[in-house]
Amino acid sequence: NAGVTQTPKFRILKIGQSMTLQCTQDMNHNYMYWYRQDPGMGLKLIYYSVGAGITDKGEVPNGYNVSRSTTEDFPLRLELAAPSQTSVYFCASSSPRQGATNTGELFFGEGSRLTVL
Amino acid sequence: GQNIDQPTEMTATEGAIVQINCTYQTSGFNGLFWYQQHAGEAPTFLSYNVLDGLEEKGRFSSFLSRSKGYSYLLLKELQMKDSASYLCAVRDEKLTFGTGTRLTIIP
């Protein structure tokens, strides 16, 4: 059971470099999310998607881009890395809440730890 | 928008009971979640409330009052492994998290 898989797990970037954080899920979930978590803080939503071809901004979208061409994949792109983007990034997925038994809980990947120097 | 408040830190004794409160102000509401997060790990799902009242799952219980915008997570028979951050999250179309409560269990 792979669940939600994120790559890479660790990455160091120089200021101004670009990179893509990959996220894939094998649970056929409609909803996917990208969060960032700074040390000692909660999770802040960057972008989310309710299905293939549909994306929307969260609380902190500046400096990031996403795409959702398939149900399984939801990559997060950093175009011009800045030190303020040093953080742990979590991808998550969920299905819509249906009835009393499906809560629509989020399933998280293990996280990608990004440092921008 | 969403505004979710939780205490930043709490300390409790092994074997005791602790209650972690969460208050929220939201434009929409489609359920409240509690997640546990150990240091350096991803959050894991603990409980879900969408109707008023108490949901019990073993040593953990969660309560919701929608009219008061209030929830709490109750942990009983505390164990050292319960030392973690506890995140309250509210859903409308998306899931918004509070800043989390770091719980430390002492012997």
mmCIF file with all atom_site columns, all heavy atoms in Angstrom, chain A residues 3-25:
data_model
loop_
_atom_site.group_PDB
_atom_site.id
_atom_site.type_symbol
_atom_site.label_atom_id
_atom_site.label_alt_id
_atom_site.label_comp_id
_atom_site.label_asym_id
_atom_site.label_entity_id
_atom_site.label_seq_id
_atom_site.pdbx_PDB_ins_code
_atom_site.Cartn_x
_atom_site.Cartn_y
_atom_site.Cartn_z
_atom_site.occupancy
_atom_site.B_iso_or_equiv
_atom_site.pdbx_formal_charge
_atom_site.auth_seq_id
_atom_site.auth_comp_id
_atom_site.auth_asym_id
_atom_site.auth_atom_id
_atom_site.pdbx_PDB_model_num
ATOM 1   N N   . GLY A 1 3  ? 0.004  4.523  -0.883  1.00 0.00 ? 3  GLY A N   1
ATOM 2   C CA  . GLY A 1 3  ? -0.647 5.705  -0.331  1.00 0.00 ? 3  GLY A CA  1
ATOM 3   C C   . GLY A 1 3  ? -0.234 6.952  -1.090  1.00 0.00 ? 3  GLY A C   1
ATOM 4   O O   . GLY A 1 3  ? -0.352 7.035  -2.299  1.00 0.00 ? 3  GLY A O   1
ATOM 5   N N   . VAL A 1 4  ? 0.318  7.936  -0.350  1.00 0.00 ? 4  VAL A N   1
ATOM 6   C CA  . VAL A 1 4  ? 0.796  9.186  -0.933  1.00 0.00 ? 4  VAL A CA  1
ATOM 7   C C   . VAL A 1 4  ? 2.319  9.169  -0.907  1.00 0.00 ? 4  VAL A C   1
ATOM 8   O O   . VAL A 1 4  ? 2.918  8.984  0.154   1.00 0.00 ? 4  VAL A O   1
ATOM 9   C CB  . VAL A 1 4  ? 0.274  10.412 -0.153  1.00 0.00 ? 4  VAL A CB  1
ATOM 10  C CG1 . VAL A 1 4  ? 0.804  11.696 -0.777  1.00 0.00 ? 4  VAL A CG1 1
ATOM 11  C CG2 . VAL A 1 4  ? -1.245 10.407 -0.119  1.00 0.00 ? 4  VAL A CG2 1
ATOM 12  N N   . THR A 1 5  ? 2.923  9.350  -2.065  1.00 0.00 ? 5  THR A N   1
ATOM 13  C CA  . THR A 1 5  ? 4.376  9.297  -2.185  1.00 0.00 ? 5  THR A CA  1
ATOM 14  C C   . THR A 1 5  ? 4.914  10.638 -2.642  1.00 0.00 ? 5  THR A C   1
ATOM 15  O O   . THR A 1 5  ? 4.465  11.183 -3.653  1.00 0.00 ? 5  THR A O   1
ATOM 16  C CB  . THR A 1 5  ? 4.794  8.219  -3.191  1.00 0.00 ? 5  THR A CB  1
ATOM 17  O OG1 . THR A 1 5  ? 4.266  6.956  -2.787  1.00 0.00 ? 5  THR A OG1 1
ATOM 18  C CG2 . THR A 1 5  ? 6.318  8.119  -3.264  1.00 0.00 ? 5  THR A CG2 1
ATOM 19  N N   . GLN A 1 6  ? 5.871  11.173 -1.890  1.00 0.00 ? 6  GLN A N   1
ATOM 20  C CA  . GLN A 1 6  ? 6.501  12.441 -2.231  1.00 0.00 ? 6  GLN A CA  1
ATOM 21  C C   . GLN A 1 6  ? 7.976  12.224 -2.530  1.00 0.00 ? 6  GLN A C   1
ATOM 22  O O   . GLN A 1 6  ? 8.645  11.453 -1.845  1.00 0.00 ? 6  GLN A O   1
ATOM 23  C CB  . GLN A 1 6  ? 6.424  13.419 -1.053  1.00 0.00 ? 6  GLN A CB  1
ATOM 24  C CG  . GLN A 1 6  ? 5.068  13.906 -0.688  1.00 0.00 ? 6  GLN A CG  1
ATOM 25  C CD  . GLN A 1 6  ? 5.111  14.902 0.458   1.00 0.00 ? 6  GLN A CD  1
ATOM 26  O OE1 . GLN A 1 6  ? 4.412  14.746 1.439   1.00 0.00 ? 6  GLN A OE1 1
ATOM 27  N NE2 . GLN A 1 6  ? 5.933  15.939 0.326   1.00 0.00 ? 6  GLN A NE2 1
ATOM 28  N N   . THR A 1 7  ? 8.464  12.937 -3.536  1.00 0.00 ? 7  THR A N   1
ATOM 29  C CA  . THR A 1 7  ? 9.899  12.960 -3.812  1.00 0.00 ? 7  THR A CA  1
ATOM 30  C C   . THR A 1 7  ? 10.314 14.372 -4.217  1.00 0.00 ? 7  THR A C   1
ATOM 31  O O   . THR A 1 7  ? 9.508  15.099 -4.823  1.00 0.00 ? 7  THR A O   1
ATOM 32  C CB  . THR A 1 7  ? 10.272 11.993 -4.950  1.00 0.00 ? 7  THR A CB  1
ATOM 33  O OG1 . THR A 1 7  ? 9.500  12.317 -6.122  1.00 0.00 ? 7  THR A OG1 1
ATOM 34  C CG2 . THR A 1 7  ? 10.022 10.548 -4.549  1.00 0.00 ? 7  THR A CG2 1
ATOM 35  N N   . PRO A 1 8  ? 11.534 14.801 -3.875  1.00 0.00 ? 8  PRO A N   1
ATOM 36  C CA  . PRO A 1 8  ? 12.493 14.107 -3.022  1.00 0.00 ? 8  PRO A CA  1
ATOM 37  C C   . PRO A 1 8  ? 12.137 14.269 -1.551  1.00 0.00 ? 8  PRO A C   1
ATOM 38  O O   . PRO A 1 8  ? 11.301 15.084 -1.210  1.00 0.00 ? 8  PRO A O   1
ATOM 39  C CB  . PRO A 1 8  ? 13.794 14.822 -3.345  1.00 0.00 ? 8  PRO A CB  1
ATOM 40  C CG  . PRO A 1 8  ? 13.368 16.231 -3.626  1.00 0.00 ? 8  PRO A CG  1
ATOM 41  C CD  . PRO A 1 8  ? 12.045 16.111 -4.339  1.00 0.00 ? 8  PRO A CD  1
ATOM 42  N N   . LYS A 1 9  ? 12.779 13.534 -0.670  1.00 0.00 ? 9  LYS A N   1
ATOM 43  C CA  . LYS A 1 9  ? 12.572 13.673 0.765   1.00 0.00 ? 9  LYS A CA  1
ATOM 44  C C   . LYS A 1 9  ? 13.381 14.840 1.327   1.00 0.00 ? 9  LYS A C   1
ATOM 45  O O   . LYS A 1 9  ? 12.989 15.481 2.302   1.00 0.00 ? 9  LYS A O   1
ATOM 46  C CB  . LYS A 1 9  ? 12.936 12.384 1.487   1.00 0.00 ? 9  LYS A CB  1
ATOM 47  C CG  . LYS A 1 9  ? 11.941 11.261 1.276   1.00 0.00 ? 9  LYS A CG  1
ATOM 48  C CD  . LYS A 1 9  ? 12.255 10.055 2.116   1.00 0.00 ? 9  LYS A CD  1
ATOM 49  C CE  . LYS A 1 9  ? 11.130 9.035  2.117   1.00 0.00 ? 9  LYS A CE  1
ATOM 50  N NZ  . LYS A 1 9  ? 10.578 8.733  0.787   1.00 0.00 ? 9  LYS A NZ  1
ATOM 51  N N   . PHE A 1 10 ? 14.525 15.094 0.739   1.00 0.00 ? 10 PHE A N   1
ATOM 52  C CA  . PHE A 1 10 ? 15.392 16.191 1.174   1.00 0.00 ? 10 PHE A CA  1
ATOM 53  C C   . PHE A 1 10 ? 15.941 16.888 -0.073  1.00 0.00 ? 10 PHE A C   1
ATOM 54  O O   . PHE A 1 10 ? 16.245 16.227 -1.068  1.00 0.00 ? 10 PHE A O   1
ATOM 55  C CB  . PHE A 1 10 ? 16.571 15.693 2.016   1.00 0.00 ? 10 PHE A CB  1
ATOM 56  C CG  . PHE A 1 10 ? 16.185 14.966 3.259   1.00 0.00 ? 10 PHE A CG  1
ATOM 57  C CD1 . PHE A 1 10 ? 16.045 13.591 3.250   1.00 0.00 ? 10 PHE A CD1 1
ATOM 58  C CD2 . PHE A 1 10 ? 15.962 15.658 4.439   1.00 0.00 ? 10 PHE A CD2 1
ATOM 59  C CE1 . PHE A 1 10 ? 15.688 12.907 4.393   1.00 0.00 ? 10 PHE A CE1 1
ATOM 60  C CE2 . PHE A 1 10 ? 15.610 14.976 5.587   1.00 0.00 ? 10 PHE A CE2 1
ATOM 61  C CZ  . PHE A 1 10 ? 15.461 13.603 5.571   1.00 0.00 ? 10 PHE A CZ  1
ATOM 62  N N   . ARG A 1 11 ? 16.118 18.234 0.041   1.00 0.00 ? 11 ARG A N   1
ATOM 63  C CA  . ARG A 1 11 ? 16.724 18.945 -1.080  1.00 0.00 ? 11 ARG A CA  1
ATOM 64  C C   . ARG A 1 11 ? 17.269 20.271 -0.561  1.00 0.00 ? 11 ARG A C   1
ATOM 65  O O   . ARG A 1 11 ? 16.636 20.933 0.268   1.00 0.00 ? 11 ARG A O   1
ATOM 66  C CB  . ARG A 1 11 ? 15.690 19.211 -2.180  1.00 0.00 ? 11 ARG A CB  1
ATOM 67  C CG  . ARG A 1 11 ? 16.231 19.900 -3.410  1.00 0.00 ? 11 ARG A CG  1
ATOM 68  C CD  . ARG A 1 11 ? 17.075 18.985 -4.278  1.00 0.00 ? 11 ARG A CD  1
ATOM 69  N NE  . ARG A 1 11 ? 17.680 19.734 -5.374  1.00 0.00 ? 11 ARG A NE  1
ATOM 70  C CZ  . ARG A 1 11 ? 17.140 19.856 -6.579  1.00 0.00 ? 11 ARG A CZ  1
ATOM 71  N NH1 . ARG A 1 11 ? 15.988 19.276 -6.851  1.00 0.00 ? 11 ARG A NH1 1
ATOM 72  N NH2 . ARG A 1 11 ? 17.754 20.561 -7.500  1.00 0.00 ? 11 ARG A NH2 1
ATOM 73  N N   . ILE A 1 12 ? 18.458 20.616 -1.061  1.00 0.00 ? 12 ILE A N   1
ATOM 74  C CA  . ILE A 1 12 ? 19.033 21.924 -0.781  1.00 0.00 ? 12 ILE A CA  1
ATOM 75  C C   . ILE A 1 12 ? 19.102 22.686 -2.096  1.00 0.00 ? 12 ILE A C   1
ATOM 76  O O   . ILE A 1 12 ? 19.632 22.174 -3.085  1.00 0.00 ? 12 ILE A O   1
ATOM 77  C CB  . ILE A 1 12 ? 20.437 21.806 -0.145  1.00 0.00 ? 12 ILE A CB  1
ATOM 78  C CG1 . ILE A 1 12 ? 20.341 21.075 1.190   1.00 0.00 ? 12 ILE A CG1 1
ATOM 79  C CG2 . ILE A 1 12 ? 21.056 23.185 0.035   1.00 0.00 ? 12 ILE A CG2 1
ATOM 80  C CD1 . ILE A 1 12 ? 21.685 20.803 1.845   1.00 0.00 ? 12 ILE A CD1 1
ATOM 81  N N   . LEU A 1 13 ? 18.566 23.904 -2.095  1.00 0.00 ? 13 LEU A N   1
ATOM 82  C CA  . LEU A 1 13 ? 18.555 24.740 -3.291  1.00 0.00 ? 13 LEU A CA  1
ATOM 83  C C   . LEU A 1 13 ? 19.313 26.029 -3.044  1.00 0.00 ? 13 LEU A C   1
ATOM 84  O O   . LEU A 1 13 ? 19.360 26.509 -1.897  1.00 0.00 ? 13 LEU A O   1
ATOM 85  C CB  . LEU A 1 13 ? 17.125 25.125 -3.668  1.00 0.00 ? 13 LEU A CB  1
ATOM 86  C CG  . LEU A 1 13 ? 16.226 24.134 -4.377  1.00 0.00 ? 13 LEU A CG  1
ATOM 87  C CD1 . LEU A 1 13 ? 14.870 24.776 -4.650  1.00 0.00 ? 13 LEU A CD1 1
ATOM 88  C CD2 . LEU A 1 13 ? 16.840 23.656 -5.676  1.00 0.00 ? 13 LEU A CD2 1
ATOM 89  N N   . LYS A 1 14 ? 19.860 26.586 -4.104  1.00 0.00 ? 14 LYS A N   1
ATOM 90  C CA  . LYS A 1 14 ? 20.427 27.917 -4.018  1.00 0.00 ? 14 LYS A CA  1
ATOM 91  C C   . LYS A 1 14 ? 19.347 28.943 -4.375  1.00 0.00 ? 14 LYS A C   1
ATOM 92  O O   . LYS A 1 14 ? 18.405 28.642 -5.130  1.00 0.00 ? 14 LYS A O   1
ATOM 93  C CB  . LYS A 1 14 ? 21.616 28.058 -4.965  1.00 0.00 ? 14 LYS A CB  1
ATOM 94  C CG  . LYS A 1 14 ? 22.796 27.182 -4.578  1.00 0.00 ? 14 LYS A CG  1
ATOM 95  C CD  . LYS A 1 14 ? 23.963 27.395 -5.535  1.00 0.00 ? 14 LYS A CD  1
ATOM 96  C CE  . LYS A 1 14 ? 25.149 26.529 -5.131  1.00 0.00 ? 14 LYS A CE  1
ATOM 97  N NZ  . LYS A 1 14 ? 26.294 26.667 -6.071  1.00 0.00 ? 14 LYS A NZ  1
ATOM 98  N N   . ILE A 1 15 ? 19.479 30.134 -3.853  1.00 0.00 ? 15 ILE A N   1
ATOM 99  C CA  . ILE A 1 15 ? 18.535 31.215 -4.155  1.00 0.00 ? 15 ILE A CA  1
ATOM 100 C C   . ILE A 1 15 ? 18.432 31.391 -5.672  1.00 0.00 ? 15 ILE A C   1
ATOM 101 O O   . ILE A 1 15 ? 19.438 31.444 -6.372  1.00 0.00 ? 15 ILE A O   1
ATOM 102 C CB  . ILE A 1 15 ? 18.980 32.531 -3.498  1.00 0.00 ? 15 ILE A CB  1
ATOM 103 C CG1 . ILE A 1 15 ? 18.922 32.402 -1.971  1.00 0.00 ? 15 ILE A CG1 1
ATOM 104 C CG2 . ILE A 1 15 ? 18.116 33.697 -3.965  1.00 0.00 ? 15 ILE A CG2 1
ATOM 105 C CD1 . ILE A 1 15 ? 19.535 33.585 -1.236  1.00 0.00 ? 15 ILE A CD1 1
ATOM 106 N N   . GLY A 1 16 ? 17.189 31.452 -6.148  1.00 0.00 ? 16 GLY A N   1
ATOM 107 C CA  . GLY A 1 16 ? 16.961 31.659 -7.571  1.00 0.00 ? 16 GLY A CA  1
ATOM 108 C C   . GLY A 1 16 ? 16.803 30.392 -8.376  1.00 0.00 ? 16 GLY A C   1
ATOM 109 O O   . GLY A 1 16 ? 16.348 30.447 -9.529  1.00 0.00 ? 16 GLY A O   1
ATOM 110 N N   . GLN A 1 17 ? 17.181 29.239 -7.822  1.00 0.00 ? 17 GLN A N   1
ATOM 111 C CA  . GLN A 1 17 ? 17.011 27.981 -8.547  1.00 0.00 ? 17 GLN A CA  1
ATOM 112 C C   . GLN A 1 17 ? 15.529 27.590 -8.575  1.00 0.00 ? 17 GLN A C   1
ATOM 113 O O   . GLN A 1 17 ? 14.721 28.085 -7.781  1.00 0.00 ? 17 GLN A O   1
ATOM 114 C CB  . GLN A 1 17 ? 17.820 26.861 -7.894  1.00 0.00 ? 17 GLN A CB  1
ATOM 115 C CG  . GLN A 1 17 ? 19.312 26.959 -8.159  1.00 0.00 ? 17 GLN A CG  1
ATOM 116 C CD  . GLN A 1 17 ? 20.065 25.754 -7.617  1.00 0.00 ? 17 GLN A CD  1
ATOM 117 O OE1 . GLN A 1 17 ? 19.799 25.276 -6.511  1.00 0.00 ? 17 GLN A OE1 1
ATOM 118 N NE2 . GLN A 1 17 ? 21.015 25.271 -8.413  1.00 0.00 ? 17 GLN A NE2 1
ATOM 119 N N   . SER A 1 18 ? 15.228 26.673 -9.481  1.00 0.00 ? 18 SER A N   1
ATOM 120 C CA  . SER A 1 18 ? 13.863 26.159 -9.599  1.00 0.00 ? 18 SER A CA  1
ATOM 121 C C   . SER A 1 18 ? 13.855 24.667 -9.331  1.00 0.00 ? 18 SER A C   1
ATOM 122 O O   . SER A 1 18 ? 14.866 23.986 -9.517  1.00 0.00 ? 18 SER A O   1
ATOM 123 C CB  . SER A 1 18 ? 13.311 26.422 -11.010 1.00 0.00 ? 18 SER A CB  1
ATOM 124 O OG  . SER A 1 18 ? 13.304 27.792 -11.295 1.00 0.00 ? 18 SER A OG  1
ATOM 125 N N   . MET A 1 19 ? 12.710 24.177 -8.891  1.00 0.00 ? 19 MET A N   1
ATOM 126 C CA  . MET A 1 19 ? 12.576 22.738 -8.709  1.00 0.00 ? 19 MET A CA  1
ATOM 127 C C   . MET A 1 19 ? 11.101 22.360 -8.615  1.00 0.00 ? 19 MET A C   1
ATOM 128 O O   . MET A 1 19 ? 10.243 23.229 -8.405  1.00 0.00 ? 19 MET A O   1
ATOM 129 C CB  . MET A 1 19 ? 13.298 22.253 -7.455  1.00 0.00 ? 19 MET A CB  1
ATOM 130 C CG  . MET A 1 19 ? 12.598 22.547 -6.153  1.00 0.00 ? 19 MET A CG  1
ATOM 131 S SD  . MET A 1 19 ? 13.152 21.486 -4.802  1.00 0.00 ? 19 MET A SD  1
ATOM 132 C CE  . MET A 1 19 ? 12.683 19.864 -5.398  1.00 0.00 ? 19 MET A CE  1
ATOM 133 N N   . THR A 1 20 ? 10.852 21.073 -8.788  1.00 0.00 ? 20 THR A N   1
ATOM 134 C CA  . THR A 1 20 ? 9.499  20.548 -8.669  1.00 0.00 ? 20 THR A CA  1
ATOM 135 C C   . THR A 1 20 ? 9.473  19.463 -7.603  1.00 0.00 ? 20 THR A C   1
ATOM 136 O O   . THR A 1 20 ? 10.292 18.546 -7.627  1.00 0.00 ? 20 THR A O   1
ATOM 137 C CB  . THR A 1 20 ? 9.012  19.965 -10.003 1.00 0.00 ? 20 THR A CB  1
ATOM 138 O OG1 . THR A 1 20 ? 8.998  20.997 -10.987 1.00 0.00 ? 20 THR A OG1 1
ATOM 139 C CG2 . THR A 1 20 ? 7.606  19.397 -9.852  1.00 0.00 ? 20 THR A CG2 1
ATOM 140 N N   . LEU A 1 21 ? 8.544  19.595 -6.677  1.00 0.00 ? 21 LEU A N   1
ATOM 141 C CA  . LEU A 1 21 ? 8.272  18.531 -5.707  1.00 0.00 ? 21 LEU A CA  1
ATOM 142 C C   . LEU A 1 21 ? 7.178  17.644 -6.297  1.00 0.00 ? 21 LEU A C   1
ATOM 143 O O   . LEU A 1 21 ? 6.125  18.131 -6.692  1.00 0.00 ? 21 LEU A O   1
ATOM 144 C CB  . LEU A 1 21 ? 7.802  19.114 -4.378  1.00 0.00 ? 21 LEU A CB  1
ATOM 145 C CG  . LEU A 1 21 ? 8.786  20.019 -3.640  1.00 0.00 ? 21 LEU A CG  1
ATOM 146 C CD1 . LEU A 1 21 ? 8.143  20.583 -2.377  1.00 0.00 ? 21 LEU A CD1 1
ATOM 147 C CD2 . LEU A 1 21 ? 10.053 19.269 -3.294  1.00 0.00 ? 21 LEU A CD2 1
ATOM 148 N N   . GLN A 1 22 ? 7.478  16.358 -6.338  1.00 0.00 ? 22 GLN A N   1
ATOM 149 C CA  . GLN A 1 22 ? 6.538  15.419 -6.941  1.00 0.00 ? 22 GLN A CA  1
ATOM 150 C C   . GLN A 1 22 ? 5.643  14.805 -5.869  1.00 0.00 ? 22 GLN A C   1
ATOM 151 O O   . GLN A 1 22 ? 6.075  14.553 -4.743  1.00 0.00 ? 22 GLN A O   1
ATOM 152 C CB  . GLN A 1 22 ? 7.284  14.308 -7.673  1.00 0.00 ? 22 GLN A CB  1
ATOM 153 C CG  . GLN A 1 22 ? 8.210  14.778 -8.775  1.00 0.00 ? 22 GLN A CG  1
ATOM 154 C CD  . GLN A 1 22 ? 7.470  15.333 -9.979  1.00 0.00 ? 22 GLN A CD  1
ATOM 155 O OE1 . GLN A 1 22 ? 6.259  15.150 -10.135 1.00 0.00 ? 22 GLN A OE1 1
ATOM 156 N NE2 . GLN A 1 22 ? 8.196  16.044 -10.837 1.00 0.00 ? 22 GLN A NE2 1
ATOM 157 N N   . CYS A 1 23 ? 4.387  14.571 -6.234  1.00 0.00 ? 23 CYS A N   1
ATOM 158 C CA  . CYS A 1 23 ? 3.441  13.909 -5.341  1.00 0.00 ? 23 CYS A CA  1
ATOM 159 C C   . CYS A 1 23 ? 2.534  13.022 -6.174  1.00 0.00 ? 23 CYS A C   1
ATOM 160 O O   . CYS A 1 23 ? 1.956  13.478 -7.168  1.00 0.00 ? 23 CYS A O   1
ATOM 161 C CB  . CYS A 1 23 ? 2.606  14.923 -4.578  1.00 0.00 ? 23 CYS A CB  1
ATOM 162 S SG  . CYS A 1 23 ? 1.341  14.164 -3.522  1.00 0.00 ? 23 CYS A SG  1
ATOM 163 N N   . THR A 1 24 ? 2.406  11.776 -5.763  1.00 0.00 ? 24 THR A N   1
ATOM 164 C CA  . THR A 1 24 ? 1.502  10.864 -6.441  1.00 0.00 ? 24 THR A CA  1
ATOM 165 C C   . THR A 1 24 ? 0.757  10.016 -5.411  1.00 0.00 ? 24 THR A C   1
ATOM 166 O O   . THR A 1 24 ? 1.303  9.675  -4.369  1.00 0.00 ? 24 THR A O   1
ATOM 167 C CB  . THR A 1 24 ? 2.278  9.977  -7.441  1.00 0.00 ? 24 THR A CB  1
ATOM 168 O OG1 . THR A 1 24 ? 1.363  9.217  -8.200  1.00 0.00 ? 24 THR A OG1 1
ATOM 169 C CG2 . THR A 1 24 ? 3.238  9.049  -6.727  1.00 0.00 ? 24 THR A CG2 1
ATOM 170 N N   . GLN A 1 25 ? -0.508 9.717  -5.715  1.00 0.00 ? 25 GLN A N   1
ATOM 171 C CA  . GLN A 1 25 ? -1.302 8.882  -4.814  1.00 0.00 ? 25 GLN A CA  1
ATOM 172 C C   . GLN A 1 25 ? -1.990 7.784  -5.620  1.00 0.00 ? 25 GLN A C   1
ATOM 173 O O   . GLN A 1 25 ? -2.367 7.999  -6.780  1.00 0.00 ? 25 GLN A O   1
ATOM 174 C CB  . GLN A 1 25 ? -2.317 9.720  -4.022  1.00 0.00 ? 25 GLN A CB  1
ATOM 175 C CG  . GLN A 1 25 ? -3.202 10.625 -4.848  1.00 0.00 ? 25 GLN A CG  1
ATOM 176 C CD  . GLN A 1 25 ? -4.531 10.017 -5.238  1.00 0.00 ? 25 GLN A CD  1
ATOM 177 O OE1 . GLN A 1 25 ? -4.924 8.934  -4.786  1.00 0.00 ? 25 GLN A OE1 1
ATOM 178 N NE2 . GLN A 1 25 ? -5.278 10.732 -6.078  1.00 0.00 ? 25 GLN A NE2 1
#
